[in-house]
Amino acid sequence: FCRACVHNKSNQGKIRIHHPGLPITIMSEEEPAAKKAKTNGDDDEPTGWENHTCNASECLMKEDEGRNLSDFVDEEVTKLQGIGPLATQVLDALKVKTISQLATYKFFLIARALKTLAETETEGGRPEGSRMNVDKAVDKEWEKKSFTEICEAPTEALEGISQPACELLEKLRVKTIGDLAELKYCRWAEAIVTASKFENTKTAKERKVEAQLKKLS
């Protein structure tokens, strides 16, 4: 249009174009910006989880509470609540940087197994001729002990753990094998990694499309 044209925009998004040499008004439709933004994304699409109530708000940082569990598997341990500079320094020295590595920390898994077995143990209940043992998990002096006694032993009693590692764990108030089994950061990490394997990461729309494609194949 020429410079003589006059543009007036109404509230409805219509543009009126007046030309001094023409006895008509040309109406041009312009989609409102808000509507454009709405049609450009899928944010308003239902996910299928709107009525779910499960959450892990006590172990995750506030800004991360709405994410998939699977998102955290390879994230740094600082995504867990309470992992401050000291805990980060300790875990870093133990070569544990991610939530996945924390969940599978060898000595935590051994300690947790021993603690769980201790809870099933009956004092003096070992039958004659029993072959049960955890000799490869603990130092020789602890091999004949009960699961309960082993859990009360210092972390140094674990086979293969280094003295510096034990000293680092003490900074997290972990002194015994039982303490290590109950270390909340390890338990949280293990729970996140395990539960993430059973998480559905596809939205309702994505699942519907997937089901339709299967019917066509």
XYZ file of all heavy atoms in Angstrom, residues 129-201:
574
model
N 25.885 -77.187 60.520
C 26.255 -77.535 59.153
C 25.933 -76.461 58.120
O 26.145 -76.666 56.916
N 25.435 -75.303 58.552
C 25.093 -74.217 57.624
C 26.333 -73.747 56.878
O 27.430 -73.668 57.440
C 24.480 -73.044 58.383
O 24.270 -71.947 57.513
N 26.158 -73.458 55.606
C 27.262 -72.984 54.753
C 27.181 -71.474 54.494
O 27.989 -70.919 53.741
C 27.232 -73.740 53.416
C 27.428 -75.246 53.554
C 27.046 -75.976 52.272
N 27.859 -75.558 51.136
C 29.018 -76.124 50.783
N 29.481 -77.149 51.488
N 29.699 -75.695 49.739
N 26.207 -70.811 55.080
C 25.998 -69.381 54.836
C 27.181 -68.551 55.310
O 27.687 -68.735 56.414
C 24.720 -68.907 55.533
C 24.349 -67.463 55.249
S 22.832 -66.968 56.109
C 21.623 -68.034 55.337
N 27.596 -67.597 54.447
C 28.691 -66.712 54.825
C 28.714 -65.488 53.918
O 28.108 -65.493 52.844
C 30.039 -67.435 54.739
C 30.451 -67.715 53.302
O 31.069 -66.877 52.641
N 30.094 -68.908 52.800
N 29.430 -64.449 54.374
C 29.677 -63.246 53.554
C 31.164 -62.915 53.636
O 31.557 -61.759 53.778
C 28.817 -62.045 54.020
C 27.354 -62.236 53.636
C 28.959 -61.809 55.530
N 31.976 -63.942 53.539
C 33.426 -63.807 53.715
C 34.062 -62.791 52.774
O 35.059 -62.148 53.117
C 34.101 -65.171 53.517
C 33.757 -66.149 54.642
O 33.070 -65.730 55.592
O 34.175 -67.321 54.556
N 33.509 -62.651 51.564
C 34.101 -61.736 50.587
C 33.655 -60.285 50.800
O 34.136 -59.390 50.110
C 33.738 -62.173 49.175
C 34.370 -63.499 48.765
C 34.008 -63.855 47.336
C 34.657 -65.168 46.911
N 34.330 -65.531 45.500
N 32.757 -60.078 51.763
C 32.254 -58.720 52.015
C 32.962 -58.043 53.180
O 32.985 -56.810 53.263
C 30.755 -58.763 52.286
N 33.524 -58.840 54.081
C 34.138 -58.270 55.288
C 35.550 -58.813 55.485
O 35.928 -59.843 54.928
C 33.286 -58.591 56.540
C 31.933 -57.897 56.442
C 33.108 -60.104 56.710
N 36.324 -58.097 56.316
C 37.681 -58.541 56.643
C 37.628 -59.842 57.441
O 36.620 -60.152 58.079
C 38.414 -57.465 57.448
C 38.804 -56.264 56.606
O 38.862 -56.408 55.362
O 39.040 -55.190 57.187
N 38.732 -60.573 57.442
C 38.783 -61.908 58.017
C 38.311 -61.966 59.470
O 37.614 -62.895 59.875
C 40.205 -62.461 57.913
C 40.284 -63.958 58.159
C 41.632 -64.497 57.757
C 41.657 -66.022 57.868
N 40.673 -66.658 56.962
N 38.677 -60.957 60.259
C 38.310 -60.982 61.681
C 36.803 -60.873 61.923
O 36.330 -61.168 63.029
C 39.030 -59.869 62.434
C 38.639 -58.468 61.989
C 39.396 -57.401 62.756
O 39.097 -57.199 63.953
O 40.279 -56.774 62.153
N 36.054 -60.479 60.873
C 34.608 -60.331 61.023
C 33.812 -61.443 60.328
O 32.598 -61.484 60.432
C 34.157 -58.983 60.465
C 34.675 -57.831 61.261
C 35.809 -57.110 61.037
C 34.092 -57.286 62.439
N 35.978 -56.142 61.990
C 34.920 -56.229 62.869
C 32.939 -57.584 63.178
C 34.647 -55.475 64.011
C 32.663 -56.828 64.312
C 33.500 -55.795 64.715
N 34.495 -62.340 59.693
C 33.817 -63.369 58.906
C 32.910 -64.277 59.736
O 31.870 -64.735 59.252
C 34.858 -64.229 58.167
C 35.569 -63.490 57.054
C 36.649 -64.318 56.384
O 36.862 -65.477 56.800
O 37.269 -63.802 55.425
N 33.273 -64.548 60.979
C 32.500 -65.471 61.822
C 31.384 -64.776 62.602
O 30.617 -65.435 63.316
C 33.428 -66.204 62.792
C 34.448 -67.096 62.094
C 35.355 -67.777 63.123
C 36.400 -68.659 62.439
N 37.297 -69.339 63.414
N 31.313 -63.475 62.471
C 30.330 -62.715 63.237
C 28.930 -62.833 62.641
O 28.753 -63.186 61.478
C 30.730 -61.236 63.274
C 32.111 -60.970 63.841
C 32.186 -61.271 65.330
C 33.542 -60.874 65.895
N 33.643 -61.144 67.355
N 27.944 -62.514 63.453
C 26.551 -62.498 62.980
C 26.326 -61.262 62.124
O 27.112 -60.308 62.177
C 25.587 -62.491 64.171
O 25.694 -61.253 64.877
N 25.245 -61.246 61.357
C 24.931 -60.066 60.549
C 24.740 -58.841 61.436
O 25.167 -57.735 61.098
C 23.658 -60.304 59.732
C 23.828 -61.297 58.614
C 22.963 -62.374 58.469
C 24.858 -61.153 57.691
C 23.110 -63.275 57.444
C 25.015 -62.065 56.656
C 24.139 -63.133 56.527
N 24.123 -59.049 62.578
C 23.874 -57.948 63.511
C 25.183 -57.356 64.013
O 25.354 -56.128 64.076
C 23.038 -58.434 64.712
O 21.803 -58.977 64.234
C 22.755 -57.298 65.673
N 26.115 -58.221 64.375
C 27.425 -57.751 64.855
C 28.188 -57.037 63.747
O 28.857 -56.022 64.002
C 28.234 -58.946 65.368
C 27.694 -59.541 66.647
C 28.431 -60.805 67.049
O 28.614 -61.685 66.176
O 28.820 -60.912 68.244
N 28.096 -57.559 62.530
C 28.789 -56.939 61.395
C 28.274 -55.526 61.152
O 29.045 -54.611 60.862
C 28.633 -57.800 60.128
C 29.420 -59.103 60.274
C 29.108 -57.040 58.891
C 29.205 -60.096 59.148
N 26.973 -55.342 61.286
C 26.381 -54.009 61.064
C 26.826 -53.002 62.114
O 26.815 -51.798 61.867
C 24.859 -54.115 61.047
S 24.224 -54.882 59.539
N 27.235 -53.510 63.277
C 27.718 -52.631 64.336
C 29.210 -52.358 64.205
O 29.769 -51.529 64.935
C 27.425 -53.263 65.701
C 25.930 -53.368 65.994
C 25.627 -54.185 67.229
O 26.580 -54.812 67.776
O 24.467 -54.209 67.657
N 29.853 -53.032 63.252
C 31.292 -52.875 63.040
C 31.585 -51.569 62.314
O 30.743 -51.036 61.584
C 31.825 -54.054 62.227
N 32.792 -51.027 62.481
C 33.163 -49.795 61.748
C 33.237 -50.083 60.258
O 33.432 -51.231 59.841
C 34.531 -49.443 62.326
C 35.071 -50.738 62.841
C 33.889 -51.492 63.356
N 33.118 -49.049 59.459
C 33.139 -49.243 58.006
C 34.445 -49.881 57.529
O 34.471 -50.522 56.479
C 32.940 -47.897 57.278
O 33.915 -46.950 57.747
C 31.539 -47.358 57.506
N 35.507 -49.749 58.322
C 36.793 -50.358 57.969
C 36.704 -51.881 57.864
O 37.564 -52.524 57.247
C 37.867 -50.005 59.011
C 38.312 -48.566 58.976
C 37.544 -47.697 59.963
O 36.361 -48.013 60.226
O 38.111 -46.708 60.451
N 35.655 -52.468 58.455
C 35.494 -53.920 58.432
C 35.073 -54.436 57.057
O 35.134 -55.640 56.794
C 34.464 -54.350 59.477
N 34.657 -53.542 56.161
C 34.266 -53.947 54.814
C 35.509 -54.283 53.996
O 36.485 -53.529 53.995
C 33.469 -52.832 54.125
C 32.074 -52.562 54.678
C 31.512 -51.270 54.079
C 31.137 -53.737 54.391
N 35.467 -55.397 53.335
C 36.596 -55.840 52.514
C 36.824 -54.871 51.338
O 35.926 -54.603 50.555
C 36.312 -57.240 51.966
C 37.375 -57.793 51.051
C 38.673 -58.121 51.759
O 38.624 -58.528 52.944
O 39.736 -57.965 51.119
N 38.025 -54.332 51.259
C 38.400 -53.494 50.117
C 38.210 -52.006 50.290
O 38.725 -51.225 49.485
N 37.502 -51.580 51.319
C 37.312 -50.141 51.504
C 38.604 -49.540 52.065
O 39.284 -50.147 52.887
C 36.108 -49.841 52.443
C 35.681 -48.380 52.298
C 36.433 -50.178 53.888
C 34.348 -48.058 52.971
N 38.948 -48.350 51.609
C 40.202 -47.731 52.048
C 39.998 -46.905 53.314
O 38.885 -46.460 53.616
C 40.770 -46.840 50.939
O 39.905 -45.733 50.716
N 41.080 -46.697 54.034
C 41.026 -45.887 55.244
C 40.609 -44.448 54.933
O 39.758 -43.880 55.628
C 42.382 -45.910 55.951
C 42.410 -45.175 57.294
C 41.456 -45.773 58.311
O 41.285 -46.978 58.374
N 40.828 -44.914 59.110
N 41.160 -43.829 53.859
C 40.718 -42.477 53.509
C 39.222 -42.414 53.211
O 38.566 -41.441 53.568
C 41.550 -42.159 52.260
C 42.782 -42.973 52.416
C 42.309 -44.258 53.023
N 38.680 -43.457 52.573
C 37.242 -43.476 52.266
C 36.429 -43.514 53.556
O 35.405 -42.824 53.679
C 36.908 -44.687 51.400
N 36.885 -44.296 54.520
C 36.194 -44.379 55.811
C 36.225 -43.035 56.530
O 35.242 -42.619 57.146
C 36.835 -45.462 56.681
S 36.645 -47.140 56.035
N 37.362 -42.359 56.451
C 37.496 -41.049 57.086
C 36.590 -40.023 56.421
O 36.010 -39.159 57.092
C 38.961 -40.596 57.022
C 39.884 -41.455 57.875
C 41.350 -41.119 57.679
O 41.660 -40.230 56.838
O 42.196 -41.725 58.370
N 36.444 -40.138 55.114
C 35.549 -39.238 54.391
C 34.096 -39.502 54.780
O 33.321 -38.563 54.991
C 35.729 -39.431 52.879
C 37.012 -38.860 52.276
C 37.202 -39.370 50.862
C 36.977 -37.329 52.283
N 33.740 -40.763 54.887
C 32.365 -41.119 55.264
C 32.030 -40.616 56.663
O 30.878 -40.261 56.948
C 32.169 -42.632 55.181
C 32.090 -43.208 53.752
C 32.128 -44.730 53.787
C 30.807 -42.735 53.063
N 33.026 -40.574 57.535
C 32.799 -40.076 58.893
C 32.351 -38.620 58.890
O 31.629 -38.175 59.788
C 34.062 -40.229 59.747
C 34.249 -41.638 60.291
C 35.267 -41.684 61.436
O 35.327 -40.710 62.225
O 35.996 -42.679 61.512
N 32.778 -37.877 57.876
C 32.355 -36.482 57.760
C 30.855 -36.374 57.502
O 30.248 -35.329 57.745
C 33.132 -35.788 56.644
C 34.623 -35.626 56.936
C 35.339 -34.881 55.826
C 36.824 -34.694 56.145
N 37.534 -33.933 55.093
N 30.273 -37.475 56.989
C 28.823 -37.528 56.763
C 28.134 -38.270 57.908
O 27.007 -38.724 57.766
C 28.530 -38.217 55.422
C 29.088 -37.557 54.161
C 28.687 -38.349 52.920
C 28.607 -36.121 54.049
N 28.861 -38.418 59.023
C 28.352 -39.097 60.215
C 28.096 -40.583 59.971
O 27.183 -41.171 60.554
C 27.078 -38.406 60.726
C 27.293 -36.955 61.116
C 26.028 -36.314 61.616
N 26.231 -34.907 61.947
C 25.271 -34.096 62.390
N 24.036 -34.558 62.556
N 25.536 -32.822 62.655
N 28.872 -41.144 59.107
C 28.788 -42.581 58.826
C 30.005 -43.240 59.454
O 31.133 -43.100 58.955
C 28.757 -42.857 57.301
C 28.844 -44.346 57.031
C 27.492 -42.281 56.706
N 29.796 -43.950 60.560
C 30.900 -44.585 61.267
C 30.840 -46.110 61.192
O 31.882 -46.773 61.194
C 30.911 -44.137 62.730
C 31.163 -42.638 62.902
C 31.213 -42.263 64.373
C 31.509 -40.762 64.541
N 31.577 -40.382 65.978
N 29.641 -46.653 61.155
C 29.491 -48.107 61.125
C 28.906 -48.581 59.792
O 28.405 -47.780 58.997
C 28.566 -48.586 62.253
O 27.227 -48.134 61.975
C 29.019 -48.046 63.604
N 28.962 -49.895 59.590
C 28.366 -50.471 58.380
C 26.860 -50.222 58.380
O 26.273 -49.939 57.335
C 28.687 -51.979 58.311
C 30.194 -52.176 58.073
C 27.873 -52.656 57.209
C 30.660 -53.614 58.108
N 26.261 -50.279 59.553
C 24.830 -49.991 59.665
C 24.506 -48.555 59.286
O 23.488 -48.286 58.646
N 25.379 -47.624 59.665
C 25.194 -46.211 59.305
C 25.222 -46.044 57.785
O 24.420 -45.305 57.214
C 26.305 -45.348 59.912
C 26.224 -45.241 61.418
O 25.137 -45.480 61.972
O 27.264 -44.929 62.038
N 26.161 -46.724 57.141
C 26.288 -46.627 55.692
C 25.051 -47.186 55.005
O 24.585 -46.637 54.003
C 27.536 -47.381 55.225
C 27.838 -47.369 53.723
C 27.885 -45.941 53.180
C 29.142 -48.093 53.433
N 24.498 -48.248 55.566
C 23.285 -48.857 54.992
C 22.100 -47.906 55.045
O 21.196 -47.979 54.202
C 22.946 -50.144 55.741
N 22.126 -46.992 56.023
C 21.013 -46.068 56.209
C 21.294 -44.666 55.662
O 20.462 -43.762 55.839
C 20.674 -45.960 57.703
C 20.143 -47.243 58.322
C 18.814 -47.674 57.718
O 18.031 -46.788 57.334
O 18.575 -48.887 57.631
N 22.436 -44.475 55.030
C 22.767 -43.137 54.504
C 21.691 -42.692 53.522
O 21.516 -43.278 52.455
C 24.135 -43.168 53.819
C 24.659 -41.824 53.301
C 24.759 -40.798 54.421
C 26.013 -42.005 52.618
N 20.956 -41.657 53.882
C 19.762 -41.272 53.121
C 20.052 -40.898 51.679
O 19.239 -41.171 50.791
C 19.018 -40.142 53.820
C 19.753 -38.811 53.887
C 18.892 -37.772 54.614
C 19.592 -36.412 54.659
N 18.756 -35.412 55.379
N 21.177 -40.272 51.430
C 21.475 -39.864 50.054
C 21.620 -41.081 49.134
O 21.148 -41.069 48.000
C 22.749 -39.017 50.017
C 22.703 -37.806 50.909
C 23.691 -37.574 51.863
C 21.649 -36.894 50.815
C 23.642 -36.464 52.695
C 21.596 -35.783 51.641
C 22.592 -35.574 52.588
O 22.539 -34.473 53.413
N 22.267 -42.114 49.637
C 22.394 -43.354 48.854
C 21.038 -44.011 48.655
O 20.727 -44.486 47.554
C 23.339 -44.321 49.559
S 25.073 -43.822 49.581
N 20.238 -44.029 49.700
C 18.908 -44.654 49.615
C 18.013 -43.890 48.647
O 17.278 -44.488 47.860
C 18.275 -44.721 51.009
C 18.976 -45.686 51.949
C 18.414 -45.620 53.353
N 17.002 -45.901 53.354
C 16.098 -45.233 54.076
N 16.476 -44.217 54.843
N 14.839 -45.555 54.031
N 18.061 -42.574 48.688
C 17.266 -41.759 47.758
C 17.701 -42.026 46.324
O 16.864 -42.220 45.442
C 17.454 -40.274 48.077
C 16.823 -39.810 49.348
C 15.973 -40.510 50.158
C 17.000 -38.537 49.969
N 15.610 -39.751 51.249
C 16.224 -38.536 51.157
C 17.745 -37.401 49.650
C 16.172 -37.427 52.004
C 17.698 -36.294 50.498
C 16.906 -36.317 51.666
N 19.018 -42.006 46.119
C 19.546 -42.217 44.769
C 19.139 -43.591 44.241
O 18.712 -43.727 43.083
C 21.064 -42.087 44.781
N 19.266 -44.606 45.081
C 18.900 -45.964 44.665
C 17.410 -46.043 44.321
O 17.026 -46.665 43.327
C 19.233 -46.955 45.775
C 18.934 -48.396 45.383
C 19.113 -49.352 46.539
O 18.798 -48.965 47.688
O 19.538 -50.485 46.306
N 16.582 -45.402 45.139
C 15.138 -45.414 44.894
C 14.792 -44.721 43.581
O 13.950 -45.203 42.809
C 14.413 -44.741 46.060
N 15.421 -43.592 43.320
C 15.168 -42.839 42.089
C 15.554 -43.671 40.865
O 14.788 -43.784 39.903
C 15.943 -41.506 42.093
C 15.315 -40.534 43.098
C 15.963 -40.878 40.698
C 16.135 -39.282 43.352
N 16.746 -44.251 40.900
C 17.229 -45.030 39.764
C 16.358 -46.263 39.531
O 15.989 -46.578 38.390
C 18.699 -45.448 39.974
C 19.142 -46.428 38.894
C 19.600 -44.209 39.955
N 16.000 -46.958 40.608
C 15.170 -48.163 40.473
C 13.775 -47.820 39.977
O 13.268 -48.432 39.023
C 15.071 -48.902 41.824
O 16.376 -49.278 42.255
C 14.216 -50.159 41.686
N 13.137 -46.826 40.594
C 11.773 -46.447 40.210
C 11.709 -45.893 38.789
O 10.702 -46.070 38.089
C 11.218 -45.419 41.199
N 12.784 -45.232 38.362
C 12.796 -44.630 37.020
C 12.659 -45.688 35.925
O 12.192 -45.394 34.824
C 14.081 -43.830 36.792
O 15.211 -44.678 36.660
N 13.055 -46.909 36.239
C 12.971 -47.992 35.254
C 11.527 -48.417 34.985
O 11.235 -49.094 34.015
C 13.784 -49.198 35.736
C 15.272 -48.906 35.861
C 16.026 -50.084 36.438
C 17.513 -49.767 36.630
N 18.252 -50.889 37.249
N 10.624 -48.007 35.871
C 9.219 -48.368 35.732
C 8.340 -47.153 35.454
O 7.118 -47.201 35.605
C 8.743 -49.091 37.006
C 9.554 -50.311 37.318
C 10.648 -50.239 38.170
C 9.244 -51.528 36.730
C 11.414 -51.367 38.448
C 10.003 -52.661 36.995
C 11.089 -52.580 37.854
N 8.982 -46.073 35.035
C 8.283 -44.822 34.763
C 7.880 -44.726 33.296
O 8.630 -45.113 32.403
C 9.196 -43.656 35.122
C 8.563 -42.291 34.988
C 9.523 -41.194 35.417
O 10.694 -41.220 34.999
O 9.095 -40.313 36.171
N 6.682 -44.244 33.066
C 6.218 -43.995 31.704
C 6.578 -42.552 31.367
O 6.097 -41.622 32.011
C 4.708 -44.200 31.597
C 4.257 -44.437 30.172
O 4.916 -44.008 29.239
N 3.139 -45.110 29.992
N 7.413 -42.365 30.376
C 7.874 -41.011 30.043
C 7.111 -40.400 28.868
O 7.339 -39.247 28.527
C 9.379 -41.027 29.704
O 9.602 -41.940 28.623
C 10.197 -41.458 30.910
